[in-house]
Amino acid sequence: MINQVTLAARVVSDIELRRTNKKSILVTDFRAMYQDKKLANALFIDVEVWGSEAQHVTDTIKRGDNVLIVGELRRDVWTSKNVATGVSENRSKIKITAHRVVLSNPSNSNVEVNVQINTDTNVKSKDRKSVV
């Protein structure tokens, strides 16, 4: 099964860098928004980035930036207690685990982005503002 997603979106939250408890592995979390051309429907999705790419994203991406996200869809599942009823409920959400996050500039018609995903994810861009 192929699990691959490429999303052009805007970063709508602050970038948060943290370390895991076990091995001091870097992870970055942020929220992205995709909106169709009619501006009628907006999709907000959480994005996580691991390892050296997490540090790179934290150093180069900020809230409001347009980005190209390349990664895979993941489903987080957990149980939480309903405060009103005291009953435990199963919860889940879909997020993107990103392999690459690249700055994009939709107003620049000369931008050409070529994304290829194999075993080693490669992202190439002719846009000088892109982060690879």
Side-chain angles (χ1 to χ4, degrees):
M1 178 193 298
I2 296 175
N3 179 3
Q4 171 184 317
V5 63
T6 302
L7 179 68
R10 173 165 292 166
V11 176
V12 294
S13 71
D14 292 328
I15 307 290
E16 297 179 26
L17 179 69
R18 59 187 166 84
R19 297 185 185 276
T20 62
N21 293 337
K22 297 179 182 177
K23 295 183 179 180
S24 289
I25 297 173
L26 298 174
V27 61
T28 295
D29 296 304
F30 64 93
R31 181 163 276 228
M33 179 192 72
Y34 164 79
Q35 198 162 21
D36 63 13
K37 290 182 180 185
K38 296 179 183 178
L39 304 177
N41 298 313
L43 168 69
F44 293 88
I45 190 159
D46 291 331
V47 180
E48 69 178 11
V49 187
W50 291 83
S52 60
E53 185 70 11
Q55 182 67 57
H56 185 69
V57 167
T58 303
D59 293 343
T60 58
I61 307 288
K62 64 185 182 314
R63 177 189 282 209
D65 284 344
N66 292 311
V67 293
L68 179 67
I69 302 164
V70 179
E72 54 192 62
L73 292 175
R74 298 280 186 196
R75 183 173 169 232
D76 275 350
V77 179
W78 70 95
T79 303
S80 66
K81 195 174 270 191
N82 184 319
V83 178
T85 64
V87 176
S88 292
E89 299 175 342
N90 292 329
R91 304 273 182 170
S92 69
K93 73 175 178 179
I94 302 295
K95 65 181 176 183
I96 296 175
T97 299
H99 304 296
R100 296 279 190 255
V101 180
V102 181
L103 279 171
S104 65
N105 184 356
S107 63
N108 184 349
S109 59
N110 294 326
V111 174
E112 182 180 316
V113 177
N114 177 22
V115 177
Q116 297 175 334
I117 305 239
N118 293 325
T119 342
D120 58 341
T121 305
N122 295 318
V123 178
K124 298 179 182 178
S125 175
K126 290 183 180 177
D127 181 7
R128 295 292 178 219
K129 294 182 181 178
S130 294
V131 178
V132 179

